[in-house]
Amino acid sequence: MALRLYNTLTRKKEPFQPIDAGNVRMYVCGPTVYDFAHIGNARPVIVFDVLFRLLRHLYGPEHVTYVRNITDVDDKINARAAQDYPNLPLNEAIRRVTEKTEQQFHDDVAALGCLTPTVEPRATEHIAAMKEMIDGLVANGCAYVAEDHVLFDVAAMPDYGKLSGRSLDEMIAGARVEVAPYKRDPMDFVLWKPSKPGEPSWTSPAGIVAPGRPGWHIECSAMSWKHLGETFDIHGGGIDLVFPHHENEIAQSRCAFHTPVMANYWLHNGFLQVEGEKMAKSLGNFVTIHELLTQRKFGNQPWHGRVVRLAMLSTQYRQPLDWTVDRLAQARSTLIEWAEFLRDAPSGDQLDSEFVSALEDDLNAPSAMTVLYGWANGARRRSVPDVKRLKAAARFLAVYDNERPADFAVGYEVTSMDKADVDMKIAQRHAARKAKDFKEADRIRDELAAMGIELKDAKDPKTGELVTTWEVAR
Ligand code: AMP
Ligand code: ZN
């Protein structure tokens, strides 16, 4: 099978054909660095990391360029800086907020097993490119200046709305567009705007005297242009970015460069919700990646990064994903068991074609996982080829990298359901010992140890019977 990807632009699954197989180019919208990333933000990072790995496998690691930007100029950043560092000059406060947040983001996504993209451009380092595009758009009549703003004139772009599949009327009705007196049309969007005193500012394009700063959409058009060219292969992000962000990126880039497309394939991940509800600070179910990995914020325990990653890949990327404690607990049990098979086992050096084919079908991670579960069955029966295949594929997906079973049990809290399970296993172990099957008794003890449960054997002083107590290993 060859790689097929669902393209939002055509609403079809299409065979993937790169413009240049010697340099396959992908751009994904990255974080705005003002606060910890939440678990919804982790979804595109992991999904496009899997695609990056697959492209590297298919075309060779040196033939893939993956660009994920860092948005370090934004009103939300300014607000956070003023709030957190009220006594510092705003620019210094902004530098602190963006540096700290960028570091947090990198630590978080590294713990989730994600590779570093080829380039991580920062918006503030591409202001010249943005201004060059803006000047070009004004010069060719696709943008205009009004009250120190530069606005994109959507009437100049007949294809506007094609990505999101909406007509102009629908967009006006549905979107919360900012109506401003200086706009010719309510749908026109900002390419450049004036800065207030003290805010980050640069000399403006288009002959505007007042200093200003770029709008959000032009940042991605400029950074993708500088690092991937006027037209490239894949553009990705969450489904909420289709409109207006990606629609506007397309309008800017195509009109600036007179090209029929900005990127050939537009990929969008579905949204993550928490235990059946939209995640929102106001609902109290808002969880950051950092909290999930290090605190007792979700399911009253921290979770290992690879457990989070496996749970994230248990649903196909375009589907909505319900983020639940159950899903994480299942992923953890799977990895604890796999670690027992895989820890000291040799890895196969070739990826199995059945596994690769599943991923080539629009990144069908759940069906790739089904292939892995089949090998895990073989591994349970001590099939060496299955262990090798499982190890190679699990490492490729970065859901396993030589961890010990107990690594996945960090901070493991025993629920009442688990308690019954532990007691049942202890009873089975006693039965095995009585039957003098010490091998089986040891196996059960090891299995519990892998869950982070330590057994203590003692003799009842009165009856002489073996009594086993247990606790969670710390
Ligand atoms: P933002 O910080 O809102 O700009 O989002 C950064 C990235 O995370 C974008 O690609 C969003 O589409 C994506 N994203 C935000 N919230 C969610 C969510 N709940 N589920 C999946 N993706 C999300
Ligand atoms: Zn973007």
Side-chain angles (χ1 to χ4, degrees):
M1 200 181 175
L3 178 59
R4 289 159 61 81
L5 297 171
Y6 182 87
N7 190 351
T8 307
L9 198 54
T10 57
R11 289 162 185 77
K12 281 202 292 272
K13 222 191 259 185
E14 297 175 337
F16 175 68
Q17 252 158 9
I19 298 165
D20 171 8
N23 184 17
V24 179
R25 289 163 287 160
M26 171 163 81
Y27 185 94
V28 174
C29 298
T32 302
V33 283
Y34 68 100
D35 205 351
F36 282 104
H38 60 67
I39 53 179
N41 301 139
R43 194 172 190 199
V45 177
I46 292 173
V47 162
F48 291 104
D49 180 66
V50 171
L51 181 55
F52 183 37
R53 286 168 189 270
L54 181 62
L55 292 170
R56 285 160 59 98
H57 173 72
L58 298 174
Y59 294 92
E62 64 282 17
H63 298 301
V64 183
T65 307
Y66 172 23
V67 179
R68 187 183 62 212
N69 71 290
I70 290 180
T71 294
D72 59 353
V73 45
D74 186 271
D75 290 344
K76 289 193 282 268
I77 298 175
N78 301 347
R80 175 54 61 100
Q83 179 193 324
D84 286 3
Y85 303 99
N87 300 321
L88 287 181
L90 187 60
N91 281 319
E92 171 62 15
I94 286 171
R95 197 180 58 74
R96 295 218 190 165
V97 168
T98 54
E99 274 179 5
K100 189 173 96 191
T101 312
E102 192 181 320
Q103 186 59 48
Q104 285 162 352
F105 177 76
H106 282 137
D107 293 347
D108 285 348
V109 301
L112 298 178
C114 297
L115 298 172
T116 308
T118 323
V119 194
E120 288 188 277
R122 283 193 195 83
T124 50
E125 289 167 7
H126 293 76
I127 303 286
M130 296 174 208
K131 283 163 50 173
E132 194 181 330
M133 284 186 78
I134 293 171
D135 277 331
L137 288 167
V138 173
N140 72 19
C142 296
Y144 59 96
V145 176
E147 294 185 21
D148 291 341
H149 293 69
V150 184
L151 293 142
F152 187 90
D153 179 2
V154 292
M157 168 73 177
D159 274 354
Y160 193 75
K162 196 171 159 197
L163 180 74
S164 46
R166 308 181 195 201
S167 68
L168 264 179
D169 288 344
E170 281 170 336
M171 284 185 278
I172 293 168
R176 276 174 286 163
V177 290
E178 194 193 344
V179 186
Y182 48 79
K183 285 186 181 180
R184 285 186 198 159
D185 183 300
M187 291 309 292
D188 292 351
F189 58 88
V190 166
L191 300 174
W192 190 266
K193 58 186 167 186
S195 295
K196 295 190 193 80
E199 281 181 345
S201 66
W202 290 265
T203 50
S204 293
I208 298 170
V209 176
R213 59 190 201 276
W216 172 37
H217 315 302
I218 194 72
E219 296 177 11
C220 287
S221 284
M223 287 185 269
S224 59
W225 168 43
K226 280 293 150 186
H227 295 281
L228 298 175
E230 294 179 356
T231 300
F232 51 94
D233 298 300
I234 299 172
H235 194 312
I239 189 86
D240 58 320
L241 298 187
V242 172
F243 183 83
H245 185 51
H246 289 167
E247 197 76 71
N248 293 355
E249 281 188 37
I250 291 174
Q252 297 159 158
S253 293
R254 283 188 49 193
C255 291
F257 307 128
H258 307 286
T259 44
V261 289
M262 177 185 184
N264 283 324
Y265 303 86
W266 288 80
L267 270 59
H268 294 100
N269 65 270
F271 249 46
L272 172 154
Q273 53 175 15
V274 175
E275 305 280 0
E277 280 192 327
K278 184 178 152 84
M279 180 169 61
K281 285 201 169 129
S282 58
L283 293 175
N285 63 0
F286 185 93
V287 189
T288 66
I289 303 172
H290 183 73
E291 289 167 337
L292 191 68
L293 297 175
T294 63
Q295 296 169 21
R296 298 177 172 276
K297 185 74 190 285
F298 193 72
N300 194 31
Q301 58 202 280
W303 301 89
H304 194 283
R306 299 204 190 272
V307 169
V308 173
R309 185 170 172 106
L310 182 62
M312 203 65 90
L313 295 177
S314 58
T315 302
Q316 205 267 354
Y317 77 93
R318 284 196 284 127
Q319 305 304 318
L321 167 61
D322 194 17
W323 193 250
T324 61
V325 175
D326 257 11
R327 191 184 284 280
L328 282 162
Q330 257 174 34
R332 181 181 51 207
S333 304
T334 300
L335 286 183
I336 287 173
E337 197 199 9
W338 288 5
E340 285 177 55
F341 307 143
L342 300 184
R343 167 85 175 150
D344 298 313
S347 175
D349 41 19
Q350 286 235 317
L351 278 182
D352 184 273
S353 62
E354 195 189 348
F355 167 73
V356 176
S357 293
L359 289 180
E360 282 181 317
D361 179 16
D362 195 28
L363 288 189
N364 197 334
S367 89
M369 289 309 299
T370 307
V371 179
L372 269 68
Y373 293 131
W375 295 330
N377 283 336
R380 238 168 256 137
R381 296 189 304 266
R382 313 213 185 286
S383 152
V384 175
D386 279 348
V387 168
K388 283 186 171 175
R389 282 191 276 254
L390 179 60
K391 188 158 183 171
R395 293 183 71 157
F396 175 81
L397 286 176
V399 293
Y400 180 71
D401 189 23
N402 252 21
E403 286 84 1
R404 290 167 299 134
D407 292 336
F408 296 122
V410 249
Y412 182 54
E413 280 292 303
V414 185
T415 64
S416 58
M417 230 168 83
D418 295 330
K419 280 197 179 101
D421 196 33
V422 171
D423 289 339
M424 189 189 75
K425 289 205 164 101
I426 289 176
Q428 284 168 353
R429 177 166 167 269
H430 279 195
R433 286 176 65 120
K434 273 206 175 128
K436 302 226 174 326
D437 185 353
F438 295 110
K439 211 172 144 203
E440 172 65 3
D442 287 350
R443 191 197 62 75
I444 295 172
R445 193 195 51 216
D446 292 348
E447 188 186 329
L448 288 167
M451 289 163 61
I453 305 241
E454 220 171 85
L455 300 185
K456 287 207 170 63
D457 290 330
K459 274 215 166 83
D460 185 313
K462 281 191 200 134
T463 63
E465 288 263 328
L466 182 71
V467 181
T468 302
T469 52
W470 57 271
E471 59 182 38
V472 178
R474 296 274 165 205

